[in-house]
Amino acid sequence: MNTTALPGSTQVAIVGAGPAGLALAVTLADAGIDFVILDKLAEGANTSRAAVVHARTLEVLDELGASRDLIALGVPVTRFAVRDGTRRLLTVPFEKLPTPHPYTLMVPQYQTENVLLARLRALGGDVHRPHEVTSVVQDEDGVTLTTSTGQTLRAGYAVGTDGMHSTVREAAGIGFTGSTYGESFVLADVVMEWAPGPGEVSLTFGTAGLTVVAPLPGGHYRVVATVDEAPESPDVAFVQRLLDERAPGQATVDACAWSSRFRVHHRVADHYRAGRMLLAGDAAHVHSPAGGQGMNTGIQDGYALGRAFATGRLDGYEAQRRPVAQRVVALTHRMTRVATTRNPVARGVRNTVLPLLGHTGLPDKLATELAELNYR
């Protein structure tokens, strides 16, 4: 933890040291641009949260010199299976993707953050903690940030990578258009026997809700599921009942390493820039975890914004990245609604059509879309 006082001024102040903020900081450090990255937490979170790193993000991490260390920590997965209960409806293959990384990498978010932080430190930077920004005020010449302890930081620009409840976005007066899913989401990292095995990510449809099961390092599995009302701390018995209902006979849950519940929004900021204040990551877009694209889009935001600073092309940042977020939010919303429909007619049509589409070009197109290779 870096508890040193904030400097008086900098060119770019980054508020929030999650994946998007760290990716931006590494990009700026590599370009030799002066910055300060600060976070309100005393240390980085060690919970799992996002767990998917897609091919385009790995390409970006190649550019940042951080991919090799991350790949060594993760589990590469080459297919994404869509199921209804135990019936396989569609297989989305990643191994034919036109990329040096024809797979998706399963690795806990805290390890992605650790790798990015290590790279930042290798470039001479670090995160200033704990500094909670409570006020951001811009004028013609710059931005003044004030922390909860009364310290101030003067910057040429302020970037909000501070999550869905972004202080920077609110200070900039930028709207966050969208809504909230009625269901709650369960997230659990478990040790279990899982019949499909660790070679795929399984997306299971069902009238009870959407369920995703994905392998993690160390023999763990990530379970993400929509439920009408999740318990505060889902336990082994809860996860076992959930999987028995939605994928009968497929899972024997032995232990729960970590679990949580959360509500999911689908929102996109009305703008990514207001004068000298900019947004990236969850401050700019949030959406369903179906497809595992949230952290990936944020890391790519950070890299794109860092390159925009380096090339003097800040005016093009919103035009480049906001349409990507709109497309990701639309895709994940459709996936969630198709997966969770309780209309028997719509479900029957879905389960009939998807296997037929498996013999078309759709699986390859969907793989490219999920991997975000269309956004290069």
Side-chain angles (χ1 to χ4, degrees), residues 82-114:
V82 179
R83 304 173 180 273
D84 186 332
T86 59
R87 180 190 174 197
R88 182 189 293 264
L89 301 176
L90 185 70
T91 299
V92 179
F94 293 114
E95 66 266 17
K96 295 185 288 184
L97 290 172
T99 172
H101 305 287
Y103 52 87
T104 187
L105 187 73
M106 300 302 305
V107 60
Q109 179 176 328
Y110 74 88
Q111 292 190 328
T112 301
E113 292 180 6
N114 287 344

Side-chain angles (χ1 to χ4, degrees), residues 188-368:
D189 290 348
V190 301
V191 179
M192 70 177 178
E193 296 296 323
W194 174 243
E200 69 177 38
V201 175
S202 297
L203 170 64
T204 300
F205 295 166
T207 55
L210 166 72
T211 309
V212 178
V213 178
L216 287 176
H220 289 200
Y221 286 89
R222 158 65 54 82
V223 179
V224 182
T226 58
V227 297
D228 287 337
E229 199 61 49
E232 184 175 351
S233 298
D235 58 11
V236 168
F238 180 88
V239 178
Q240 184 68 66
R241 286 195 303 271
L242 185 148
L243 293 175
D244 285 345
E245 178 185 8
R246 302 182 184 191
Q250 302 292 291
T252 301
V253 183
D254 298 315
C256 184
W258 179 74
S259 68
S260 182
R261 69 175 178 184
F262 55 100
R263 293 282 178 183
V264 173
H265 303 248
H266 48 106
R267 301 178 184 275
V268 179
D270 294 346
H271 297 283
Y272 277 24
R273 182 181 182 184
R276 292 178 172 272
M277 301 161 74
L278 301 105
L279 305 175
D282 286 356
H285 48 78
V286 291
H287 49 82
S288 166
Q293 293 178 280
M295 181 183 71
N296 290 271
T297 309
I299 289 173
Q300 293 169 46
D301 287 344
Y303 175 70
L305 182 53
R307 294 307 306 155
F309 273 114
T311 59
R313 296 175 179 173
L314 280 181
D315 287 343
Y317 168 65
E318 178 176 326
Q320 178 188 1
R321 294 303 303 171
R322 189 168 181 272
V324 172
Q326 291 176 307
R327 189 164 165 176
V328 169
V329 169
L331 172 65
T332 57
H333 182 62
R334 287 197 302 271
M335 290 174 65
T336 301
R337 285 296 168 238
V338 167
T340 58
T341 180
R342 297 184 181 183
N343 183 310
V345 174
R347 186 181 178 194
V349 170
R350 178 196 70 195
N351 291 359
T352 299
V353 169
L354 279 178
L356 298 176
L357 292 176
H359 301 288
T360 70
L362 176 68
D364 290 338
K365 290 181 179 178
L366 187 54
T368 302

Side-chain angles (χ1 to χ4, degrees), residues 5-20:
L6 291 175
S9 63
T10 189
Q11 177 63 13
V12 182
I14 306 168
V15 183

Side-chain angles (χ1 to χ4, degrees), residues 33-98:
I33 296 173
D34 185 54
F35 69 93
V36 169
I37 178 170
L38 59 164
D39 195 278
K40 65 182 180 181
L41 297 178
E43 59 184 28
N46 61 1
T47 50
S48 193
R49 295 172 289 159
V52 181
V53 182
H54 282 302
R56 175 56 191 155
T57 305
L58 290 170
E59 292 178 351
V60 166
L61 295 177
D62 285 342
E63 296 293 326
L64 298 180
S67 61
R68 182 184 301 178
D69 290 344
L70 188 63
I71 291 167
L73 296 170
V75 176
V77 177
T78 58
R79 64 182 183 272
F80 188 103
V82 179
R83 304 173 180 273
D84 186 332
T86 59
R87 180 190 174 197
R88 182 189 293 264
L89 301 176
L90 185 70
T91 299
V92 179
F94 293 114
E95 66 266 17
K96 295 185 288 184
L97 290 172

